[in-house]
Amino acid sequence: HPQSTPSIAAPQGPAVMITPLLFAAQRTSVSLSRRHHAVIIGRNMATTHHKQRIFDLLNDNGIEYKYLQHEETPTSEDSARARGEDLSTGGKALVLKFREAGAKDDAKSGFAVFVLSASRKLHAKSIKKEFKTKNVRFATREELSELTDGLVPGSVPPFGRPVVDLDLFVDVSVAENEKVAFNCGSLTDSVVMSAREYLQVASPKKVFAFSK
């Protein structure tokens, strides 16, 4: 029987640094050292598909990253404390409706993922100016779930396709940091990685200033 790509399970404890070499070990079911409090799990691992898509994207591109499991973190401040990172490194991903969908567009076309540093606030006027639109609003909880295949507020990862089926726009504040940290599809799982490599692999449609 074919096996799916293995997943990483990291109980409370030291973070697990995932490297291309470790990913190769995953494919041969080699366990991590006990001191990391983590093991390689095969196809029976219960994981969100968003998290798996992120792991696949990063691993397939040979990108090193740190994966952590922690207590539930509903706010950016909670996430920063749990990760042991500065608030500014957080990649706050917001699903916004920034324009009306045209008659020939699908329902998702008026929405996109906008990512900014967690230490900054959204500047809606900049988005209105960029897209020449009059209204910008957050997706409702129901819209968010429908648009992202079940994600809840605070769990949205800072990716568009192929992780989340929406366009992606990134604020310049993310590019100003060495690292970016983010929840990867749940409120209890985080990834910390190079901001430069994040921008390369996430491939936003545009990076521009929309924070204050």
Side-chain angles (χ1 to χ4, degrees), residues 42-83:
R43 59 179 173 172
N44 293 325
M45 169 64 182
T47 183
T48 68
H49 48 277
H50 295 92
K51 182 169 68 175
Q52 191 62 60
R53 289 172 190 165
I54 293 169
F55 286 161
D56 289 345
L57 182 64
L58 300 181
N59 292 333
D60 289 348
N61 284 276
I63 293 175
E64 182 175 296
Y65 59 96
K66 183 167 66 173
Y67 167 60
L68 308 95
Q69 279 191 328
H70 46 72
E71 71 274 12
E72 192 168 290
T73 55
T75 70
S76 297
E77 290 78 11
D78 293 333
S79 295
R81 283 192 294 271
R83 298 168 186 149

Side-chain angles (χ1 to χ4, degrees), residues 96-114:
L96 305 178
K97 184 170 186 180
F98 66 104
R99 65 181 177 85
E100 294 299 323
K104 296 182 179 180
D105 297 330
D106 62 42
K108 288 187 176 183
S109 64
F111 292 85
V113 178
F114 290 81

Side-chain angles (χ1 to χ4, degrees), residues 73-145:
T73 55
T75 70
S76 297
E77 290 78 11
D78 293 333
S79 295
R81 283 192 294 271
R83 298 168 186 149
E85 298 286 345
D86 189 83
L87 180 63
S88 64
T89 68
K92 181 164 56 177
L94 308 172
V95 176
L96 305 178
K97 184 170 186 180
F98 66 104
R99 65 181 177 85
E100 294 299 323
K104 296 182 179 180
D105 297 330
D106 62 42
K108 288 187 176 183
S109 64
F111 292 85
V113 178
F114 290 81
V115 182
L116 62 157
S117 167
S119 64
R120 299 181 67 83
K121 295 180 179 179
L122 182 72
H123 190 238
K125 287 184 178 180
S126 296
I127 296 176
K128 292 177 183 178
K129 182 178 179 181
E130 176 68 28
F131 296 103
K132 297 178 175 57
T133 184
K134 293 182 178 181
N135 298 305
V136 173
R137 67 168 176 84
F138 293 100
T140 65
R141 191 180 187 94
E142 292 74 22
E143 287 172 335
L144 177 65
S145 179

